[in-house]
Amino acid sequence: MAQLLVRDIDEAVVDALKRTAAGNGRSAEAEHREILRGALTVRPKKRSFKEVLAAMPYFEDDALFDVR
């Protein structure tokens, strides 16, 4: 495994990392790894244009779109 050293981190960020880690029952180092993993490897599934259109609600009454 590779190692990563990050310098000059604002103290407020370090404190927030430690609090989050404690809340998740992890060390700050493990929390840091999880944050990096989540931010860089988990990608939401992209939907096709067809899927986006199919998810839109259907309105039978065209009067809803009357702009007069």
Short mmCIF file of all heavy atoms in Angstrom, two decimals:
data_model
loop_
_atom_site.label_atom_id
_atom_site.label_comp_id
_atom_site.label_asym_id
_atom_site.label_seq_id
_atom_site.Cartn_x
_atom_site.Cartn_y
_atom_site.Cartn_z
N MET A 1 0.83 -1.18 0.00
CA MET A 1 0.00 0.00 0.00
C MET A 1 0.87 1.25 0.00
O MET A 1 1.90 1.30 0.67
CB MET A 1 -0.88 0.05 1.25
CG MET A 1 -2.03 -0.90 1.23
SD MET A 1 -3.36 -0.06 0.38
CE MET A 1 -4.64 -1.22 0.65
N ALA A 2 0.41 2.24 -0.68
CA ALA A 2 1.12 3.53 -0.73
C ALA A 2 0.79 4.36 0.50
O ALA A 2 -0.18 4.10 1.20
CB ALA A 2 0.72 4.28 -1.99
N GLN A 3 1.61 5.36 0.75
CA GLN A 3 1.37 6.27 1.85
C GLN A 3 1.20 7.67 1.28
O GLN A 3 1.75 8.01 0.24
CB GLN A 3 2.53 6.25 2.83
CG GLN A 3 2.64 4.95 3.58
CD GLN A 3 3.71 5.03 4.66
OE1 GLN A 3 4.23 6.09 4.98
NE2 GLN A 3 4.05 3.87 5.21
N LEU A 4 0.43 8.47 1.99
CA LEU A 4 0.15 9.84 1.56
C LEU A 4 0.34 10.76 2.76
O LEU A 4 -0.24 10.52 3.82
CB LEU A 4 -1.29 9.93 1.05
CG LEU A 4 -1.79 11.29 0.60
CD1 LEU A 4 -1.02 11.75 -0.64
CD2 LEU A 4 -3.28 11.19 0.27
N LEU A 5 1.13 11.79 2.59
CA LEU A 5 1.35 12.77 3.65
C LEU A 5 0.75 14.09 3.20
O LEU A 5 1.06 14.59 2.12
CB LEU A 5 2.85 12.94 3.91
CG LEU A 5 3.26 14.01 4.91
CD1 LEU A 5 2.73 13.66 6.30
CD2 LEU A 5 4.76 14.15 4.92
N VAL A 6 -0.13 14.63 4.02
CA VAL A 6 -0.77 15.91 3.69
C VAL A 6 -0.35 16.93 4.73
O VAL A 6 -0.54 16.73 5.92
CB VAL A 6 -2.31 15.76 3.69
CG1 VAL A 6 -2.97 17.06 3.29
CG2 VAL A 6 -2.74 14.64 2.75
N ARG A 7 0.24 18.02 4.28
CA ARG A 7 0.76 19.05 5.19
C ARG A 7 -0.12 20.30 5.15
O ARG A 7 -0.89 20.49 4.23
CB ARG A 7 2.18 19.43 4.79
CG ARG A 7 3.15 18.28 4.90
CD ARG A 7 4.51 18.73 4.33
NE ARG A 7 5.34 17.59 4.04
CZ ARG A 7 6.34 17.18 4.80
NH1 ARG A 7 6.62 17.82 5.90
NH2 ARG A 7 7.05 16.14 4.45
N ASP A 8 0.07 21.12 6.15
CA ASP A 8 -0.59 22.44 6.23
C ASP A 8 -2.11 22.35 6.17
O ASP A 8 -2.77 23.08 5.44
CB ASP A 8 -0.07 23.37 5.12
CG ASP A 8 1.42 23.61 5.23
OD1 ASP A 8 1.92 23.70 6.37
OD2 ASP A 8 2.09 23.71 4.19
N ILE A 9 -2.68 21.45 6.98
CA ILE A 9 -4.13 21.31 7.07
C ILE A 9 -4.62 22.23 8.18
O ILE A 9 -4.05 22.26 9.28
CB ILE A 9 -4.53 19.85 7.39
CG1 ILE A 9 -3.96 18.90 6.36
CG2 ILE A 9 -6.04 19.71 7.50
CD1 ILE A 9 -4.49 19.10 4.98
N ASP A 10 -5.65 22.99 7.90
CA ASP A 10 -6.22 23.89 8.89
C ASP A 10 -6.66 23.09 10.13
O ASP A 10 -7.22 22.00 10.01
CB ASP A 10 -7.43 24.60 8.27
CG ASP A 10 -7.97 25.67 9.17
OD1 ASP A 10 -7.49 26.81 9.08
OD2 ASP A 10 -8.87 25.35 9.98
N GLU A 11 -6.39 23.62 11.29
CA GLU A 11 -6.69 22.92 12.54
C GLU A 11 -8.18 22.59 12.67
O GLU A 11 -8.56 21.54 13.20
CB GLU A 11 -6.22 23.76 13.74
CG GLU A 11 -6.14 23.00 15.02
CD GLU A 11 -5.13 21.85 14.99
OE1 GLU A 11 -4.05 22.03 14.40
OE2 GLU A 11 -5.43 20.79 15.56
N ALA A 12 -9.04 23.46 12.16
CA ALA A 12 -10.48 23.21 12.22
C ALA A 12 -10.85 21.97 11.39
O ALA A 12 -11.73 21.20 11.77
CB ALA A 12 -11.25 24.43 11.72
N VAL A 13 -10.16 21.77 10.28
CA VAL A 13 -10.41 20.60 9.43
C VAL A 13 -9.95 19.34 10.15
O VAL A 13 -10.65 18.32 10.15
CB VAL A 13 -9.70 20.74 8.06
CG1 VAL A 13 -9.79 19.47 7.25
CG2 VAL A 13 -10.27 21.92 7.29
N VAL A 14 -8.80 19.42 10.80
CA VAL A 14 -8.28 18.26 11.55
C VAL A 14 -9.24 17.91 12.69
O VAL A 14 -9.56 16.74 12.90
CB VAL A 14 -6.86 18.55 12.07
CG1 VAL A 14 -6.38 17.42 12.97
CG2 VAL A 14 -5.90 18.77 10.91
N ASP A 15 -9.73 18.92 13.39
CA ASP A 15 -10.67 18.68 14.49
C ASP A 15 -11.96 18.04 13.98
O ASP A 15 -12.49 17.11 14.59
CB ASP A 15 -10.98 19.98 15.24
CG ASP A 15 -9.80 20.51 16.03
OD1 ASP A 15 -8.87 19.72 16.32
OD2 ASP A 15 -9.81 21.71 16.36
N ALA A 16 -12.45 18.54 12.86
CA ALA A 16 -13.67 17.97 12.27
C ALA A 16 -13.45 16.52 11.85
O ALA A 16 -14.32 15.66 12.05
CB ALA A 16 -14.12 18.81 11.08
N LEU A 17 -12.28 16.23 11.30
CA LEU A 17 -11.95 14.86 10.90
C LEU A 17 -11.93 13.95 12.12
O LEU A 17 -12.49 12.85 12.10
CB LEU A 17 -10.59 14.83 10.19
CG LEU A 17 -10.07 13.45 9.81
CD1 LEU A 17 -10.94 12.82 8.74
CD2 LEU A 17 -8.63 13.54 9.35
N LYS A 18 -11.33 14.41 13.20
CA LYS A 18 -11.25 13.61 14.43
C LYS A 18 -12.63 13.37 15.02
O LYS A 18 -12.93 12.27 15.47
CB LYS A 18 -10.33 14.29 15.45
CG LYS A 18 -8.86 14.21 15.05
CD LYS A 18 -7.99 14.93 16.06
CE LYS A 18 -6.52 14.88 15.66
NZ LYS A 18 -5.67 15.60 16.62
N ARG A 19 -13.48 14.40 15.02
CA ARG A 19 -14.85 14.24 15.55
C ARG A 19 -15.65 13.26 14.70
O ARG A 19 -16.35 12.39 15.22
CB ARG A 19 -15.56 15.59 15.59
CG ARG A 19 -15.17 16.47 16.76
CD ARG A 19 -16.13 17.64 16.93
NE ARG A 19 -16.31 18.42 15.70
CZ ARG A 19 -15.50 19.39 15.29
NH1 ARG A 19 -14.44 19.72 16.01
NH2 ARG A 19 -15.75 20.05 14.18
N THR A 20 -15.55 13.39 13.39
CA THR A 20 -16.26 12.48 12.49
C THR A 20 -15.77 11.06 12.67
O THR A 20 -16.57 10.12 12.72
CB THR A 20 -16.08 12.94 11.02
OG1 THR A 20 -16.54 14.28 10.91
CG2 THR A 20 -16.86 12.05 10.07
N ALA A 21 -14.46 10.90 12.77
CA ALA A 21 -13.87 9.58 12.96
C ALA A 21 -14.38 8.95 14.24
O ALA A 21 -14.78 7.78 14.26
CB ALA A 21 -12.35 9.68 12.97
N ALA A 22 -14.38 9.72 15.32
CA ALA A 22 -14.85 9.19 16.60
C ALA A 22 -16.32 8.79 16.51
O ALA A 22 -16.72 7.74 17.03
CB ALA A 22 -14.65 10.23 17.70
N GLY A 23 -17.11 9.59 15.82
CA GLY A 23 -18.52 9.27 15.64
C GLY A 23 -18.76 8.01 14.83
O GLY A 23 -19.77 7.33 15.00
N ASN A 24 -17.81 7.69 13.96
CA ASN A 24 -17.92 6.49 13.13
C ASN A 24 -17.14 5.32 13.69
O ASN A 24 -17.05 4.26 13.06
CB ASN A 24 -17.44 6.79 11.70
CG ASN A 24 -18.39 7.70 10.96
OD1 ASN A 24 -19.59 7.67 11.18
ND2 ASN A 24 -17.85 8.53 10.08
N GLY A 25 -16.54 5.51 14.88
CA GLY A 25 -15.78 4.43 15.51
C GLY A 25 -14.51 4.07 14.78
O GLY A 25 -14.09 2.91 14.77
N ARG A 26 -13.88 5.07 14.15
CA ARG A 26 -12.64 4.84 13.41
C ARG A 26 -11.56 5.79 13.90
O ARG A 26 -11.85 6.82 14.50
CB ARG A 26 -12.84 5.11 11.91
CG ARG A 26 -13.77 4.17 11.21
CD ARG A 26 -13.68 4.37 9.70
NE ARG A 26 -14.64 5.35 9.21
CZ ARG A 26 -15.71 5.04 8.49
NH1 ARG A 26 -15.98 3.80 8.19
NH2 ARG A 26 -16.51 5.98 8.07
N SER A 27 -10.34 5.47 13.56
CA SER A 27 -9.24 6.41 13.81
C SER A 27 -9.33 7.53 12.78
O SER A 27 -9.99 7.39 11.74
CB SER A 27 -7.90 5.69 13.68
OG SER A 27 -7.67 5.31 12.33
N ALA A 28 -8.65 8.64 13.06
CA ALA A 28 -8.63 9.74 12.11
C ALA A 28 -8.01 9.28 10.78
O ALA A 28 -8.46 9.67 9.70
CB ALA A 28 -7.86 10.93 12.68
N GLU A 29 -7.00 8.43 10.87
CA GLU A 29 -6.35 7.92 9.65
C GLU A 29 -7.31 7.06 8.84
O GLU A 29 -7.41 7.21 7.61
CB GLU A 29 -5.11 7.12 10.02
CG GLU A 29 -4.31 6.67 8.82
CD GLU A 29 -3.03 5.93 9.21
OE1 GLU A 29 -2.64 5.99 10.39
OE2 GLU A 29 -2.44 5.32 8.34
N ALA A 30 -8.06 6.19 9.51
CA ALA A 30 -9.03 5.34 8.81
C ALA A 30 -10.15 6.19 8.21
O ALA A 30 -10.63 5.92 7.10
CB ALA A 30 -9.60 4.29 9.75
N GLU A 31 -10.57 7.22 8.93
CA GLU A 31 -11.61 8.12 8.42
C GLU A 31 -11.12 8.86 7.18
O GLU A 31 -11.84 9.00 6.20
CB GLU A 31 -12.03 9.11 9.50
CG GLU A 31 -13.24 9.93 9.14
CD GLU A 31 -14.51 9.10 9.09
OE1 GLU A 31 -14.62 8.07 9.78
OE2 GLU A 31 -15.43 9.52 8.36
N HIS A 32 -9.88 9.30 7.23
CA HIS A 32 -9.26 9.99 6.10
C HIS A 32 -9.25 9.07 4.87
O HIS A 32 -9.61 9.47 3.76
CB HIS A 32 -7.85 10.42 6.48
CG HIS A 32 -7.19 11.32 5.49
ND1 HIS A 32 -5.87 11.67 5.60
CD2 HIS A 32 -7.64 11.93 4.38
CE1 HIS A 32 -5.55 12.46 4.60
NE2 HIS A 32 -6.60 12.63 3.84
N ARG A 33 -8.86 7.80 5.08
CA ARG A 33 -8.86 6.83 3.97
C ARG A 33 -10.26 6.67 3.40
O ARG A 33 -10.45 6.64 2.18
CB ARG A 33 -8.34 5.48 4.44
CG ARG A 33 -6.84 5.37 4.51
CD ARG A 33 -6.39 3.92 4.67
NE ARG A 33 -6.84 3.33 5.92
CZ ARG A 33 -6.17 3.38 7.06
NH1 ARG A 33 -4.99 3.99 7.12
NH2 ARG A 33 -6.66 2.82 8.15
N GLU A 34 -11.26 6.57 4.28
CA GLU A 34 -12.63 6.36 3.83
C GLU A 34 -13.14 7.57 3.04
O GLU A 34 -13.82 7.43 2.02
CB GLU A 34 -13.54 6.08 5.02
CG GLU A 34 -14.92 5.62 4.65
CD GLU A 34 -14.93 4.37 3.79
OE1 GLU A 34 -14.06 3.49 3.98
OE2 GLU A 34 -15.82 4.27 2.90
N ILE A 35 -12.81 8.76 3.50
CA ILE A 35 -13.21 9.98 2.79
C ILE A 35 -12.59 10.01 1.40
O ILE A 35 -13.26 10.29 0.40
CB ILE A 35 -12.82 11.24 3.60
CG1 ILE A 35 -13.70 11.33 4.85
CG2 ILE A 35 -12.95 12.50 2.75
CD1 ILE A 35 -13.22 12.37 5.86
N LEU A 36 -11.30 9.73 1.32
CA LEU A 36 -10.63 9.71 0.02
C LEU A 36 -11.21 8.64 -0.89
O LEU A 36 -11.47 8.88 -2.08
CB LEU A 36 -9.12 9.49 0.20
CG LEU A 36 -8.35 10.66 0.78
CD1 LEU A 36 -6.91 10.25 1.09
CD2 LEU A 36 -8.37 11.84 -0.18
N ARG A 37 -11.43 7.45 -0.35
CA ARG A 37 -11.99 6.35 -1.14
C ARG A 37 -13.36 6.75 -1.70
O ARG A 37 -13.65 6.59 -2.88
CB ARG A 37 -12.11 5.09 -0.29
CG ARG A 37 -12.61 3.87 -1.04
CD ARG A 37 -12.73 2.63 -0.16
NE ARG A 37 -11.47 2.27 0.49
CZ ARG A 37 -11.20 2.40 1.78
NH1 ARG A 37 -12.13 2.86 2.61
NH2 ARG A 37 -10.04 2.06 2.26
N GLY A 38 -14.20 7.27 -0.82
CA GLY A 38 -15.55 7.66 -1.25
C GLY A 38 -15.55 8.78 -2.28
O GLY A 38 -16.34 8.77 -3.23
N ALA A 39 -14.68 9.74 -2.08
CA ALA A 39 -14.65 10.89 -2.99
C ALA A 39 -14.06 10.54 -4.36
O ALA A 39 -14.44 11.14 -5.37
CB ALA A 39 -13.83 12.02 -2.37
N LEU A 40 -13.17 9.56 -4.39
CA LEU A 40 -12.44 9.31 -5.63
C LEU A 40 -12.81 8.03 -6.34
O LEU A 40 -12.47 7.86 -7.51
CB LEU A 40 -10.93 9.32 -5.34
CG LEU A 40 -10.41 10.63 -4.77
CD1 LEU A 40 -8.96 10.48 -4.36
CD2 LEU A 40 -10.58 11.76 -5.76
N THR A 41 -13.49 7.11 -5.69
CA THR A 41 -13.78 5.84 -6.36
C THR A 41 -15.26 5.54 -6.52
O THR A 41 -15.63 4.81 -7.42
CB THR A 41 -13.13 4.66 -5.62
OG1 THR A 41 -13.67 4.57 -4.31
CG2 THR A 41 -11.62 4.80 -5.55
N VAL A 42 -16.11 6.07 -5.67
CA VAL A 42 -17.54 5.77 -5.78
C VAL A 42 -18.17 6.79 -6.70
O VAL A 42 -18.20 7.97 -6.40
CB VAL A 42 -18.21 5.80 -4.38
CG1 VAL A 42 -19.70 5.58 -4.50
CG2 VAL A 42 -17.58 4.76 -3.48
N ARG A 43 -18.66 6.34 -7.80
CA ARG A 43 -19.28 7.22 -8.78
C ARG A 43 -20.76 6.88 -8.91
O ARG A 43 -21.12 5.71 -9.03
CB ARG A 43 -18.64 7.06 -10.16
CG ARG A 43 -17.16 7.36 -10.19
CD ARG A 43 -16.95 8.84 -10.18
NE ARG A 43 -15.52 9.12 -10.29
CZ ARG A 43 -14.92 10.03 -9.57
NH1 ARG A 43 -15.58 10.75 -8.72
NH2 ARG A 43 -13.63 10.24 -9.70
N PRO A 44 -21.62 7.89 -8.89
CA PRO A 44 -23.04 7.60 -9.08
C PRO A 44 -23.29 7.09 -10.50
O PRO A 44 -22.58 7.49 -11.43
CB PRO A 44 -23.72 8.94 -8.84
CG PRO A 44 -22.66 9.97 -9.01
CD PRO A 44 -21.35 9.30 -8.71
N LYS A 45 -24.27 6.21 -10.62
CA LYS A 45 -24.62 5.68 -11.93
C LYS A 45 -25.21 6.81 -12.77
O LYS A 45 -26.13 7.49 -12.35
CB LYS A 45 -25.63 4.56 -11.79
CG LYS A 45 -26.07 3.98 -13.12
CD LYS A 45 -27.21 2.98 -12.95
CE LYS A 45 -27.68 2.48 -14.27
NZ LYS A 45 -28.49 3.43 -15.02
N LYS A 46 -24.66 7.01 -13.94
CA LYS A 46 -25.19 8.03 -14.83
C LYS A 46 -26.39 7.45 -15.57
O LYS A 46 -26.37 6.33 -16.05
CB LYS A 46 -24.13 8.48 -15.82
CG LYS A 46 -23.02 9.25 -15.16
CD LYS A 46 -22.09 9.86 -16.16
CE LYS A 46 -21.02 10.65 -15.44
NZ LYS A 46 -20.17 11.38 -16.36
N ARG A 47 -27.45 8.25 -15.63
CA ARG A 47 -28.65 7.81 -16.33
C ARG A 47 -28.62 8.32 -17.76
O ARG A 47 -28.13 9.42 -18.04
CB ARG A 47 -29.89 8.34 -15.63
CG ARG A 47 -30.03 7.80 -14.22
CD ARG A 47 -31.34 8.14 -13.59
NE ARG A 47 -31.64 9.57 -13.63
CZ ARG A 47 -32.81 10.10 -13.31
NH1 ARG A 47 -33.80 9.31 -12.92
NH2 ARG A 47 -33.01 11.39 -13.37
N SER A 48 -29.17 7.54 -18.65
CA SER A 48 -29.26 7.96 -20.04
C SER A 48 -30.37 9.01 -20.17
O SER A 48 -31.23 9.16 -19.29
CB SER A 48 -29.58 6.76 -20.94
OG SER A 48 -30.91 6.32 -20.70
N PHE A 49 -30.36 9.72 -21.28
CA PHE A 49 -31.41 10.71 -21.54
C PHE A 49 -32.77 10.04 -21.55
O PHE A 49 -33.75 10.57 -21.02
CB PHE A 49 -31.12 11.42 -22.87
CG PHE A 49 -32.08 12.53 -23.18
CD1 PHE A 49 -32.13 13.64 -22.36
CD2 PHE A 49 -32.91 12.47 -24.28
CE1 PHE A 49 -33.01 14.69 -22.64
CE2 PHE A 49 -33.79 13.50 -24.56
CZ PHE A 49 -33.84 14.62 -23.75
N LYS A 50 -32.83 8.84 -22.09
CA LYS A 50 -34.08 8.08 -22.14
C LYS A 50 -34.59 7.79 -20.72
O LYS A 50 -35.78 7.91 -20.44
CB LYS A 50 -33.86 6.77 -22.91
CG LYS A 50 -35.08 5.92 -23.03
CD LYS A 50 -34.76 4.65 -23.82
CE LYS A 50 -35.94 3.71 -23.87
NZ LYS A 50 -35.64 2.49 -24.62
N GLU A 51 -33.68 7.41 -19.82
CA GLU A 51 -34.07 7.12 -18.43
C GLU A 51 -34.57 8.37 -17.71
O GLU A 51 -35.52 8.32 -16.93
CB GLU A 51 -32.90 6.50 -17.67
CG GLU A 51 -32.56 5.10 -18.10
CD GLU A 51 -31.26 4.60 -17.50
OE1 GLU A 51 -30.29 5.37 -17.42
OE2 GLU A 51 -31.23 3.41 -17.12
N VAL A 52 -33.93 9.51 -17.98
CA VAL A 52 -34.35 10.77 -17.37
C VAL A 52 -35.75 11.13 -17.85
O VAL A 52 -36.62 11.49 -17.06
CB VAL A 52 -33.35 11.90 -17.69
CG1 VAL A 52 -33.89 13.25 -17.24
CG2 VAL A 52 -32.01 11.62 -17.05
N LEU A 53 -35.98 11.01 -19.15
CA LEU A 53 -37.31 11.31 -19.69
C LEU A 53 -38.37 10.37 -19.14
O LEU A 53 -39.47 10.79 -18.79
CB LEU A 53 -37.30 11.24 -21.22
CG LEU A 53 -36.56 12.37 -21.94
CD1 LEU A 53 -36.58 12.12 -23.45
CD2 LEU A 53 -37.17 13.71 -21.62
N ALA A 54 -38.04 9.09 -19.03
CA ALA A 54 -39.00 8.11 -18.53
C ALA A 54 -39.35 8.37 -17.07
O ALA A 54 -40.45 8.01 -16.62
CB ALA A 54 -38.42 6.70 -18.69
N ALA A 55 -38.47 8.99 -16.31
CA ALA A 55 -38.71 9.26 -14.90
C ALA A 55 -39.55 10.52 -14.68
O ALA A 55 -40.03 10.76 -13.57
CB ALA A 55 -37.38 9.40 -14.16
N MET A 56 -39.75 11.31 -15.72
CA MET A 56 -40.52 12.54 -15.59
C MET A 56 -42.01 12.21 -15.44
O MET A 56 -42.51 11.28 -16.08
CB MET A 56 -40.30 13.44 -16.81
CG MET A 56 -38.89 13.96 -16.91
SD MET A 56 -38.62 14.93 -18.39
CE MET A 56 -39.27 16.49 -17.88
N PRO A 57 -42.73 12.96 -14.61
CA PRO A 57 -44.16 12.70 -14.45
C PRO A 57 -44.92 13.03 -15.72
O PRO A 57 -44.53 13.91 -16.50
CB PRO A 57 -44.56 13.62 -13.30
CG PRO A 57 -43.53 14.68 -13.27
CD PRO A 57 -42.26 14.07 -13.79
N TYR A 58 -46.00 12.32 -15.93
CA TYR A 58 -46.84 12.54 -17.11
C TYR A 58 -48.08 13.32 -16.70
O TYR A 58 -48.77 12.96 -15.74
CB TYR A 58 -47.25 11.19 -17.73
CG TYR A 58 -48.21 11.35 -18.89
CD1 TYR A 58 -47.77 11.85 -20.10
CD2 TYR A 58 -49.54 11.00 -18.76
CE1 TYR A 58 -48.64 12.00 -21.17
CE2 TYR A 58 -50.42 11.15 -19.81
CZ TYR A 58 -49.97 11.66 -21.01
OH TYR A 58 -50.83 11.80 -22.06
N PHE A 59 -48.37 14.39 -17.40
CA PHE A 59 -49.57 15.19 -17.16
C PHE A 59 -50.44 15.12 -18.40
O PHE A 59 -50.03 15.54 -19.47
CB PHE A 59 -49.21 16.65 -16.88
CG PHE A 59 -48.41 16.83 -15.62
CD1 PHE A 59 -47.03 17.00 -15.67
CD2 PHE A 59 -49.03 16.83 -14.39
CE1 PHE A 59 -46.29 17.16 -14.51
CE2 PHE A 59 -48.31 17.00 -13.23
CZ PHE A 59 -46.94 17.16 -13.28
N GLU A 60 -51.66 14.60 -18.24
CA GLU A 60 -52.56 14.50 -19.38
C GLU A 60 -53.13 15.84 -19.78
O GLU A 60 -53.46 16.06 -20.93
CB GLU A 60 -53.71 13.54 -19.05
CG GLU A 60 -53.28 12.10 -19.00
CD GLU A 60 -54.46 11.16 -18.85
OE1 GLU A 60 -55.55 11.46 -19.37
OE2 GLU A 60 -54.29 10.14 -18.21
N ASP A 61 -53.26 16.72 -18.83
CA ASP A 61 -53.91 18.01 -19.07
C ASP A 61 -52.88 19.01 -19.59
O ASP A 61 -52.10 19.57 -18.82
CB ASP A 61 -54.56 18.51 -17.79
CG ASP A 61 -55.38 19.76 -18.02
OD1 ASP A 61 -55.50 20.21 -19.18
OD2 ASP A 61 -55.89 20.29 -17.02
N ASP A 62 -52.90 19.27 -20.90
CA ASP A 62 -51.96 20.24 -21.48
C ASP A 62 -52.24 21.66 -21.02
O ASP A 62 -51.40 22.54 -21.18
CB ASP A 62 -52.00 20.17 -23.00
CG ASP A 62 -51.34 18.93 -23.55
OD1 ASP A 62 -50.55 18.32 -22.82
OD2 ASP A 62 -51.60 18.57 -24.71
N ALA A 63 -53.40 21.91 -20.42
CA ALA A 63 -53.73 23.26 -19.95
C ALA A 63 -52.77 23.70 -18.86
O ALA A 63 -52.61 24.91 -18.62
CB ALA A 63 -55.17 23.29 -19.44
N LEU A 64 -52.13 22.76 -18.20
CA LEU A 64 -51.15 23.12 -17.17
C LEU A 64 -50.01 23.94 -17.76
O LEU A 64 -49.33 24.68 -17.05
CB LEU A 64 -50.59 21.86 -16.50
CG LEU A 64 -51.55 21.06 -15.66
CD1 LEU A 64 -50.90 19.72 -15.27
CD2 LEU A 64 -51.94 21.83 -14.41
N PHE A 65 -49.78 23.79 -19.04
CA PHE A 65 -48.66 24.47 -19.69
C PHE A 65 -49.10 25.68 -20.50
O PHE A 65 -48.31 26.28 -21.21
CB PHE A 65 -47.92 23.47 -20.59
CG PHE A 65 -47.38 22.31 -19.84
CD1 PHE A 65 -48.04 21.07 -19.86
CD2 PHE A 65 -46.24 22.42 -19.08
CE1 PHE A 65 -47.55 20.01 -19.15
CE2 PHE A 65 -45.74 21.36 -18.35
CZ PHE A 65 -46.41 20.15 -18.38
N ASP A 66 -50.34 26.07 -20.37
CA ASP A 66 -50.87 27.23 -21.07
C ASP A 66 -50.32 28.49 -20.42
O ASP A 66 -50.52 28.71 -19.22
CB ASP A 66 -52.41 27.21 -21.01
CG ASP A 66 -53.03 27.90 -22.21
OD1 ASP A 66 -52.27 28.35 -23.09
OD2 ASP A 66 -54.27 27.95 -22.25
N VAL A 67 -49.64 29.34 -21.15
CA VAL A 67 -48.97 30.51 -20.58
C VAL A 67 -49.66 31.83 -20.95
O VAL A 67 -49.07 32.88 -20.83
CB VAL A 67 -47.48 30.56 -20.98
CG1 VAL A 67 -46.72 29.45 -20.33
CG2 VAL A 67 -47.33 30.56 -22.49
N ARG A 68 -50.87 31.78 -21.38
CA ARG A 68 -51.56 33.01 -21.79
C ARG A 68 -51.81 33.94 -20.68
O ARG A 68 -51.98 33.84 -19.59
CB ARG A 68 -52.89 32.68 -22.45
CG ARG A 68 -52.67 32.06 -23.79
CD ARG A 68 -53.99 31.82 -24.45
NE ARG A 68 -54.00 30.42 -24.82
CZ ARG A 68 -55.06 29.70 -25.05
NH1 ARG A 68 -56.23 30.25 -24.94
NH2 ARG A 68 -54.98 28.47 -25.40
#
